[in-house]
Amino acid sequence: MTDLLSGRLRNGTRAWHQALEGTGFATAMLAGTLPLDRYVGQLAAYRVVLSALEAELARATCPSVTSVWSPDLVKLPLLERDLRHFAATQGAIPEPGPAAEEFAEEIRCTAAAGPRELLGFLYVLEGSTLGAMFLCRYVTEAYRLTDGKGASYYGSGDRTRWAAFAERLDRALGEPAVQEKVLAAAERAYRHIALISGELSAGLGAPTPEHV
């Protein structure tokens, strides 16, 4: 019996997930000491990434992708809402570092060469919203955010939606060779996120993982 892809992805990327929890960005957020511009900078970087990923997923015609991708997974409007809030209250939004565009470019190249691998990227980005559910209270307390303003993206996690997504993923991608490619794509996604985290962790005192 073929292993379920969601389980292979969870087990295969666990070390990356744990390593990212030890970055300067993550530890400062948990301590309530993360500078606001770093938090907003992450939102701006993820806007670049999700703009590319959601556009490619929406235009994909591969049956595996179309059977998994769903409008309820769209996060870009939430990031836009948060960034509009900070633009109005703080002024200029930090420009993302090069790591965000490098990830976006890999997304576009992957869409052309192997669109099913986009689901590995999606697994990582959608999964990150579950972790953000836990972190949301730290964000709202640290920056005194009220009524969800500035925390729409961090507050978007939903376990029911995640379970439905994982079930569709398992149904669509059962072939071991395809699963290997999607797992490799998820690992590449984590490497890109580590680079983004590295940019946002500069000067905060903890190392960012370069390899797991």
Side-chain angles (χ1 to χ4, degrees):
M1 180 178 177
T2 303
D3 291 337
L4 295 178
L5 177 57
S6 60
R8 294 191 67 189
L9 286 165
R10 181 176 60 255
N11 294 329
T13 61
R14 181 175 287 119
W16 273 111
H17 181 79
Q18 292 172 343
L20 285 168
E21 290 178 343
T23 63
F25 180 91
T27 54
M29 178 175 283
L30 287 172
T33 60
L34 183 71
L36 178 59
D37 69 313
R38 304 298 178 94
Y39 169 66
V40 179
Q42 186 195 50
L43 299 179
Y46 279 21
R47 174 172 60 180
V48 172
V49 173
L50 285 172
S51 178
L53 180 59
E54 292 181 1
E56 295 298 345
L57 287 165
R59 68 168 60 100
T61 58
C62 171
S64 296
V65 176
T66 59
S67 67
V68 175
W69 176 242
S70 173
D72 70 342
L73 298 173
V74 171
K75 301 294 185 303
L76 188 58
L78 303 178
L79 286 167
E80 297 283 9
R81 183 187 308 163
D82 289 341
L83 290 169
R84 283 195 301 271
H85 169 76
F86 289 115
T89 59
Q90 303 295 322
I93 297 299
E95 286 293 325
E101 182 52 43
E102 289 169 5
F103 193 0
E105 181 58 25
E106 173 147 3
I107 288 168
R108 290 187 285 266
C109 291
T110 299
R116 285 182 294 191
E117 294 173 39
L118 293 173
L119 297 175
F121 299 152
L122 178 61
Y123 173 88
V124 173
L125 271 299
E126 177 63 22
S128 71
T129 64
L130 295 182
M133 291 170 63
F134 168 74
L135 295 169
C136 191
R137 68 183 180 91
Y138 292 91
V139 168
T140 56
E141 290 175 6
Y143 309 126
R144 299 180 181 180
L145 304 177
T146 58
D147 300 325
K149 294 178 180 178
S152 299
Y153 178 73
Y154 264 62
S156 67
D158 185 289
R159 296 191 183 281
T160 299
R161 184 183 67 229
W162 171 258
F165 162 68
E167 183 179 351
R168 295 196 302 273
L169 196 64
D170 290 334
R171 286 201 309 265
L173 300 172
E175 185 181 344
V178 174
Q179 291 185 356
E180 287 293 335
K181 291 182 178 180
V182 174
L183 176 56
E187 291 174 339
R188 296 200 305 275
Y190 267 111
R191 290 190 180 94
H192 283 292
I193 290 174
L195 291 172
I196 292 172
S197 182
E199 293 173 345
L200 296 168
S201 297
L204 297 180
T208 295
E210 295 181 356
H211 178 71
V212 172

